[in-house]
Amino acid sequence: MLSNNPQVKSFLQSPYWAEFQRSLGREVYHIDSDCIQARAYEMPMRLGLCQLYVPYGPELDNHDLGKCGRDPIRGFIEWLEKSARNIGAFAVIVEPRSDYIGQILIGHGFEHRQRSIQPSKTAILNLESSLSEIESQFHQKLR
């Protein structure tokens, strides 16, 4: 299990990644309410600027937002704004894994960004095979 909360499924939202980010000297912010969890990381930029980044988050425990009481996304946005002000961030970037959460964020005033920081699809190639075996698995035009 990557987190104290079994609902958190992304390594980038795990306490292990948070600890690694802290070891780099970055601030880590964490929200864990009844229906929503997320970690946000301070990302230093050029010229002394920084942004607040939420990779593959937030995670919702319950897609039925009506059962969550107060709007958890509104609470998440307020938490983000407070955390960003804390570090003087010039931008907040949220890259949810779920299109559902992405659409909710857009409905709350976020803008869709064409380019993301994290790749949306990752392929892994086992390099224990010989080069000829690996090449034989490629499409003929890609060899």
Side-chain angles (χ1 to χ4, degrees):
M1 181 170 4
L2 295 176
S3 167
N4 299 334
N5 183 330
Q7 296 296 321
V8 177
K9 298 172 187 75
S10 170
F11 181 73
L12 298 177
Q13 285 294 314
S14 73
Y16 306 109
W17 188 251
E19 188 59 36
F20 174 70
Q21 293 297 315
R22 284 187 194 98
S23 76
L24 297 175
R26 296 178 179 158
E27 290 292 325
V28 176
Y29 297 88
H30 182 223
I31 185 173
D32 190 357
S33 67
D34 290 338
C35 291
I36 196 164
Q37 300 83 38
R39 284 183 175 81
Y41 306 102
E42 173 188 3
M43 303 300 288
M45 308 297 286
R46 293 182 193 168
L47 306 173
L49 300 173
C50 69
Q51 62 187 11
L52 195 61
Y53 177 49
V54 183
Y56 293 159
E59 295 280 346
L60 286 176
D61 278 348
N62 187 342
H63 281 298
D64 184 359
L65 296 179
K67 293 182 180 178
C68 292
R70 183 173 179 258
D71 180 2
I73 296 295
R74 172 57 43 206
F76 169 72
I77 293 169
E78 290 169 1
W79 168 79
L80 273 180
E81 289 172 346
K82 180 181 176 186
S83 300
R85 275 196 295 290
N86 236 8
I87 62 171
F90 78 96
V92 175
I93 298 173
V94 180
E95 291 186 341
R97 293 187 322 157
S98 160
D99 289 338
Y100 174 75
I101 295 173
Q103 291 302 314
I104 293 172
L105 289 171
I106 288 169
H108 279 79
F110 279 71
E111 295 178 16
H112 178 71
R113 184 176 175 190
Q114 293 298 323
R115 186 176 59 94
S116 65
I117 296 171
Q118 298 300 324
S120 60
K121 305 287 184 230
T122 303
I124 299 173
L125 178 63
N126 181 351
L127 296 176
E128 293 177 354
S129 304
S130 71
L131 182 58
S132 61
E133 290 173 329
I134 293 171
E135 286 177 340
S136 72
Q137 296 172 6
F138 288 177
H139 187 279
Q140 187 175 9
K141 291 182 180 181
L142 300 177
R143 289 185 199 165

